[in-house]
Amino acid sequence: MATIFSKIAAGEIPSYKVAEDDRFFAFLDINPMVEGHTLVIPRKEVDYIFDLDDETYRGLTAFAKKVAEAIKRAIPCKRVGVAVLGMEVPHAHIHLVPLQKESDMDFRADKKQLTPERFKEIASAIAAEFKN
Ligand code: AMP
């Protein structure tokens, strides 16, 4: 059965898309720690990131780097933080989180509530800065 993230990458479930190519897809986390919190996934359905074949793993990190550069250009931040948890969704994904301060990356903190309009604005701003 396809994971929710496979359905998002296939366009079967809506998301706030940030970037895509034939192998990878990036979209806004629906429960963001801060504005611009983005998830990057391979279209290939593998649960644990370190079970990815080497080529896909390298491609995913290279794609995430380009997404992080777009986030940095679009969202005022000092750094874009990177995290992999995978405790919730069994489809490998990298969290990219624009950081002003260390505490911006806190997976236990209350998540930001954003309107659909704000999600769209943020996704468009990052997408406009993405260079494939
Ligand atoms: P984890 O698997 O622990 O890395 O957490 C999964 C992340 O996916 C969480 O930050 C969720 O907010 C996020 N998430 C789950 N479902 C969706 C969805 N449909 N669209 C966007 N983000 C999601």
Side-chain angles (χ1 to χ4, degrees), residues 4-5 8 13-16 27-33 37 39 47 83-95 107 111 119:
I4 183 166
F5 284 179
I8 284 175
I13 289 179
S15 71
Y16 299 102
F27 56 106
L28 297 182
D29 193 303
I30 206 70
N31 302 303
M33 285 184 263
H37 179 176
L39 301 176
D47 175 359
V84 176
L85 282 79
M87 304 304 286
E88 192 185 313
V89 179
H91 185 134
H93 53 281
I94 295 175
H95 293 258
F107 283 86
K111 301 301 190 285
F119 271 116

Side-chain angles (χ1 to χ4, degrees), residues 10-30:
E12 293 164 13
I13 289 179
S15 71
Y16 299 102
K17 185 174 82 177
V18 161
E20 68 176 323
D21 69 9
D22 56 336
R23 293 196 299 156
F24 306 105
F25 194 92
F27 56 106
L28 297 182
D29 193 303
I30 206 70

Side-chain angles (χ1 to χ4, degrees), residues 27-98:
F27 56 106
L28 297 182
D29 193 303
I30 206 70
N31 302 303
M33 285 184 263
V34 292
E35 291 194 352
H37 179 176
T38 298
L39 301 176
V40 186
I41 64 170
R43 292 184 188 277
K44 185 179 272 188
E45 206 168 87
V46 172
D47 175 359
Y48 183 45
I49 192 164
F50 296 125
D51 285 336
L52 288 168
D53 62 86
D54 287 357
E55 199 200 337
T56 306
Y57 177 79
R58 277 194 292 270
L60 177 66
T61 54
F63 189 80
K65 181 182 179 199
K66 288 189 283 184
V67 175
E69 287 165 350
I71 292 172
K72 185 83 171 58
R73 286 191 285 269
I75 311 264
C77 63
K78 289 188 178 152
R79 295 275 165 121
V80 176
V82 185
V84 176
L85 282 79
M87 304 304 286
E88 192 185 313
V89 179
H91 185 134
H93 53 281
I94 295 175
H95 293 258
L96 296 176
V97 184

Side-chain angles (χ1 to χ4, degrees), residues 100-112:
Q100 287 290 1
K101 54 190 185 310
E102 188 181 324
S103 58
D104 285 341
M105 176 98 87
D106 181 352
F107 283 86
R108 288 175 297 186
D110 290 340
K111 301 301 190 285
K112 291 271 176 302

